[in-house]
Amino acid sequence: MAEAPAVAAEPLIAAHRRHFPKADVDVLRRGFEVAAFAHRDQKRKSGAPYVTHPLAVALLLAELGMDTTTLVAALLHDTVEDTSLGLNQVRDEFGAEVAVLVDGVTKLDGSKWGDRAEAETFRKMILAAADDLRVILIKLADRVHNLRTLHWHPKPEKRERIARQSVQLLVPLAERLGVYVLRREMEDLAFANLRPEAYEEIRASLKETERDRAARLGPLVDQVTHALRSAGLKAQVETRNRHLYSIHRDRRANPILDQTIRVGDATRITILVNGPDADCYLALGAVHAIWHPMPARMKDFIAAPKHNLYQSLHTTVVTADEDVLEVEIRTPRMHRLAEFGIIVHINDAAQTSTRLVRDAARRPDLDWLRNLLAWQAHPDSGQYLDSIRAELRSGSIVVFTETGDVVPLPRNSTPIDFAYAVDPELGAHAIGAMVNDRLAGLHTALDDGQVVRILTSDSTTQGGPSEVWLETAQTGNARVHIQRWLDEQRADRAAVDGRLRLVKVLAENETDLLELEQHGVALAVCRRLGYPDLEALYAAVANETVVTAELAEQLVATPAAAPVYGQE
């Protein structure tokens, strides 16, 4: 039995060494031994030893190219939550970095947090991810393996809840980070649990038409290969099967179409160009020279990358045999990013330093994560989670400043969202916008690729956020700043109103509030009542939290403090 942990960890070590030949694998062995011991009395729903789960999660991350620290944290990710092993013990044994990652993915105790546990756990994970994105990647790998083994769970309602939560929260997170390899698998596994009949129908149809599709696809690959070679391009032509949920989504969007699965429904052609980015456009020309491009179906994500690092040229063509095909054109580097997204940058950084790995969370193309952080101020757990779901599923667009800076935003965003994404002060002073050099209202929905300029006013009486802005804004960042501004304005108005009430009551006693303020009497009473400043006290008067007459009595009865404002 003493040799079992070492043997079980070998596939993990082998996978890790393919990406990091010089890695310290002893710490992986130690991590597995600690996990195996901590989970020694626990079983999965399948009856397998529980440690097979963290080992599978770590192996998945190793195959994706994640660093040693992440793999150790993956091995230990359930120990603090499910065993007697404490976070301090993890920190003492494996260091602060591993402990932070483990803590980031540790669920909050449901017995203490009740119905708020899910939302507060997600809030905690997002906060941790803002400092280190590897927290989210461990969570995504954890969910992939849980979905792979979800059929072992005896309760259908639990299977459905886990699958639905995956679609609503974790699939969009994988998409935002560009980790399409995990997104596709999660979508298919959740699809199999949520719509088993539709899943089986598509799977059976794919199998039934597989031979015919392969026979039609072969000559098409030969045609495009010859066209690229004739254009003097060095390129590799690959075919990629679309995942089942993607096919289902297209069918649902076009229910009146014939539901027979054809070549283009199930397969995309991917061209990997071995050359500079400009050669991708030459390859696009070669494709359009042999097949007819469909109008408005060409997308250039090389000149204007997606918010999640994705770059590629997309075109949809009709072949001579009237097959409709989607063709993707990219370089090998772009292809790696298209599959693994942020993991590529973390992998590259890990070859140099741990600090650079953590810095990956601060990339400018991760503004969407900072938008999620803006929702942390939301006090209501249920509404917080609903807001996060809405922001994640909203899709994305890319707009530009006048100087060409890229500003990624959720779909249906307005110039208000744009202004706050650029600078909160710009948002607070916005009175209008120029979109593609044309005047536009602040509530106009923006489209991909537009150039936006915000018109502002320095006047304190003109413009400014309003309740309507709060209803229009799409991003958490904008909504939180607008709400904060509105709250401050309400507080200012309340303070003025409360002070006026107090002035009137004191005047009846022939007492001047300004004099009490100048001699420190008002501030002394304010502090005694537990208010941070006079504005807060006066706002409490307006809100009737403090009774005006009683406050006036205290002010009159309090002796003056030391002279202020230079008085003698």
Side-chain angles (χ1 to χ4, degrees), residues 216-359:
R216 295 179 68 84
L217 195 60
L220 296 175
V221 171
D222 292 341
Q223 286 180 46
V224 73
T225 300
H226 177 73
L228 293 167
R229 191 178 298 120
S230 299
L233 295 169
K234 295 181 179 179
Q236 180 180 351
V237 180
E238 298 181 351
T239 61
R240 179 168 63 82
N241 291 333
R242 299 180 64 195
H243 61 299
L244 274 65
Y245 182 71
S246 176
I247 298 171
H248 169 71
R249 187 169 53 225
D250 283 356
R251 281 182 159 192
R252 191 173 54 185
N254 299 284
I256 63 173
L257 298 180
D258 180 3
Q259 297 296 288
T260 303
I261 295 181
R262 299 181 176 83
V263 173
D265 298 326
T267 309
R268 289 191 177 103
I269 288 180
T270 302
I271 299 172
L272 302 181
V273 179
N274 294 310
D277 293 358
D279 282 359
C280 292
Y281 296 94
L282 298 177
L284 179 68
V287 171
H288 287 175
I290 59 170
W291 296 327
H292 182 69
M294 294 182 68
R297 295 288 294 272
M298 207 289 286
K299 296 181 180 178
D300 186 350
F301 296 120
I302 294 179
K306 288 187 179 183
H307 64 283
N308 60 5
L309 321 174
Y310 181 91
Q311 286 186 288
S312 186
L313 295 177
H314 288 195
T315 186
T316 302
V317 298
V318 181
T319 70
D321 294 331
E322 298 188 347
D323 286 314
V324 178
L325 286 176
E326 291 184 28
V327 181
E328 303 164 336
I329 304 169
R330 57 182 73 132
T331 65
R333 166 74 178 178
M334 293 176 192
H335 187 57
R336 188 172 167 230
L337 280 168
E339 290 294 295
F340 305 111
I342 194 65
I343 291 176
V344 174
H345 295 283
I346 292 176
N347 182 292
D348 292 345
Q351 310 287 345
T352 306
S353 79
T354 299
R355 181 185 60 79
L356 292 177
V357 171
R358 291 196 297 272
D359 284 349

Side-chain angles (χ1 to χ4, degrees), residues 416 420 424-431 442-443 459-460 462-471 478-490 493:
I416 293 171
Y420 280 102
E425 282 298 309
L426 183 64
H429 292 89
I431 58 172
L442 287 174
H443 309 295
S459 171
T460 56
Q462 183 179 7
S466 68
E467 295 287 349
V468 176
W469 286 28
L470 200 59
E471 296 171 5
R479 289 173 62 84
V480 166
H481 278 100
I482 294 167
Q483 186 65 65
R484 189 175 297 155
W485 192 91
L486 292 173
D487 290 344
E488 289 172 357
Q489 295 303 304
R490 292 190 192 102
R493 288 193 295 270

Side-chain angles (χ1 to χ4, degrees), residues 176 368 371-372 374-375 386-397 408-421 442-446 468-480 482:
R176 292 293 182 101
W368 62 268
N371 285 340
L372 293 188
W375 290 110
D386 288 342
S387 299
I388 291 293
R389 289 190 187 104
E391 183 131 343
L392 284 173
R393 68 170 177 261
S394 62
S396 66
I397 59 172
L409 292 169
R411 196 165 299 283
N412 299 320
S413 288
T414 66
I416 293 171
D417 298 292
F418 172 88
Y420 280 102
L442 287 174
H443 309 295
T444 305
L446 298 174
V468 176
W469 286 28
L470 200 59
E471 296 171 5
T472 304
Q474 299 294 308
T475 63
N477 180 49
R479 289 173 62 84
V480 166
I482 294 167

